[in-house]
Amino acid sequence: MPKSIGSEHDRPPRDGEGFLRLLADERMLALLRALNDGPLERAELGRRLGGPERTLDHRLEALTEMGIAVRRPSARDHRRVECALTEAGGELLQVAEQTQAALLLAPAPRRASISLLLKLIADRVNRLILRALLGGPQPFRELLRLVPELRRGTLQRHLEELVAGGLARALPGERGGARRYELTEFVTLLARVAVLAACWRLRWTPRRVPRMAGDLAGLVRVIASRVRLPPGVRGTCLLHVQPPPGVEGWPDVELSLAGGRISVLAFDPARAPDARAQAPPLALCEALLSGEPSGIEIEGERALAEALLAALAAALRP
């Protein structure tokens, strides 16, 4: 968390859609990191960051308008202005730092700059394609069906960007068929970043619920290979995300727990799971980050559900 934050009465961020693009700007990210040492007087910020004063003022104004930073009279001299991150700004900076941590864990050939990676993820079309690939490898034609708003040229261009950025790869077609595209292992390392980002959006821009909040099946598939259960844990557990008012219901995810691993089961309404865990999206995101199930409503075998949540949280840690 930042060393000094703005007032708890500062208004929350207005722009839930543009925060990843904000982090993708290296100069804006440098400003956030400087503010993390704040509060700093405007003159000190200028000395630390350099560059034209007008540009710095424009960036500070943008952060203030978004509720990420606050400007106020200096505590030492009311004729001067000091700047600090708000609580929302401090949490947003954590998203960037977690992205950086994931980059350091990636294989050297897959490493990219944090700004390039965040630009890829911030792009709405790229996110639609990544979500379409969460279910497994898909041929080009199927991706066109799954993301119908894209034309062939647009889809091809964005797939090339995702492949170049290490988020996707092309697989040769079977028996001369069309090649398919799938997510790389690197995406698994970014799963925690996705949950952090969704948690930030849910906490600070609740009127704009991120799609990822309800895409629990996709998240589970991404991290399934990293999940390790304690010996003897066995059964089935259904996870349910309670959608907020005005949002359509999201599909439940039923998992099989056996042999220290998990697997996603095909939905069968006639099958009764051994445990059921449900929560609003923010509570679920917080549980996945902490491993603490206090905000989760559990029915049936509580120990089974708690073991699953703890294993999912462990799989999300770097």
Side-chain angles (χ1 to χ4, degrees):
M1 292 298 294
K3 296 179 182 177
S4 178
I5 61 176
S7 165
E8 62 181 356
H9 300 296
D10 292 328
R11 63 180 181 276
R14 296 190 317 170
D15 182 7
E17 299 295 328
F19 76 96
L20 277 177
R21 288 191 295 273
L22 181 152
L23 294 179
D25 184 329
E26 292 182 350
R27 292 166 296 184
M28 191 70 87
L29 186 55
L31 174 55
L32 287 174
R33 285 173 171 155
L35 290 171
N36 195 43
D37 295 330
L40 295 176
E41 291 188 358
R42 164 66 183 77
E44 174 61 20
L45 269 177
R47 284 192 291 270
R48 288 193 182 195
L49 299 173
E53 290 191 4
R54 177 173 292 185
T55 301
L56 176 57
D57 286 334
H58 284 327
R59 291 182 184 136
L60 285 170
E61 182 179 355
L63 292 179
T64 302
E65 284 297 314
M66 291 180 69
I68 301 301
V70 60
R71 292 185 291 182
R72 61 198 176 199
S74 171
R76 293 184 297 178
D77 185 346
H78 285 272
R79 294 170 298 177
R80 298 182 178 182
V81 174
E82 68 179 16
C83 309
L85 288 182
T86 61
E87 184 178 358
E91 291 185 14
L92 182 57
L93 183 59
Q94 289 183 28
V95 176
E97 304 301 3
Q98 287 290 327
T99 305
Q100 183 68 62
L103 284 173
L104 294 176
L105 293 173
R110 291 293 186 189
R111 288 180 187 167
S113 69
I114 184 172
S115 61
L116 174 60
L117 180 61
L118 287 169
K119 283 177 183 176
L120 289 173
I121 300 174
D123 186 276
R124 186 184 69 86
V125 173
N126 285 341
R127 294 200 304 273
L128 290 174
I129 297 171
L130 291 172
R131 291 184 74 250
L133 291 174
L134 286 173
Q138 302 289 353
F140 187 87
R141 181 174 297 180
E142 180 62 12
L143 285 173
L144 280 175
R145 187 188 70 81
L146 292 172
V147 194
E149 64 187 80
L150 301 185
R151 297 188 178 186
R152 295 182 64 89
T154 302
L155 176 59
Q156 185 63 53
R157 183 174 69 255
H158 283 269
L159 282 170
E160 291 172 356
E161 290 180 357
L162 292 172
V163 170
L167 298 178
R169 59 170 162 249
L171 302 173
E174 299 177 354
R175 298 180 181 179
R179 63 179 177 175
R180 298 169 298 156
Y181 293 87
E182 70 172 3
L183 300 178
T184 65
E185 296 79 6
F186 182 37
V187 174
T188 302
L189 300 176
L190 294 173
R192 182 176 179 83
V193 177
V195 178
L196 277 169
C199 198
W200 188 90
R201 288 274 302 278
L202 289 163
R203 182 175 291 122
W204 297 108
T205 60
R207 294 182 180 180
R208 298 187 176 187
V209 179
R211 292 187 181 185
M212 180 267 150
D215 201 0
L216 186 57
L219 174 67
V220 170
R221 287 189 176 95
V222 165
I223 65 173
S225 63
R226 292 170 56 93
V227 174
R228 298 292 182 271
L229 296 167
V233 174
R234 186 179 184 86
T236 58
C237 183
L238 185 141
L239 300 179
H240 172 68
V241 185
Q242 300 167 331
V247 176
E248 294 182 4
W250 291 314
D252 294 339
V253 181
E254 189 169 359
L255 300 170
S256 171
L257 290 68
R261 302 295 185 93
I262 66 170
S263 57
V264 180
L265 298 174
F267 180 70
D268 182 356
R271 179 176 54 224
D274 298 310
R276 174 187 172 94
Q278 63 181 12
L282 178 56
L284 182 60
C285 285
E286 291 175 338
L288 289 174
L289 291 172
S290 67
E292 170 55 51
S294 59
I296 308 297
E297 180 183 343
I298 297 176
E299 301 173 359
E301 297 185 18
R302 186 174 188 87
L304 182 69
E306 290 183 347
L308 172 61
L309 290 168
L312 290 173
L316 285 169
R317 297 188 189 107

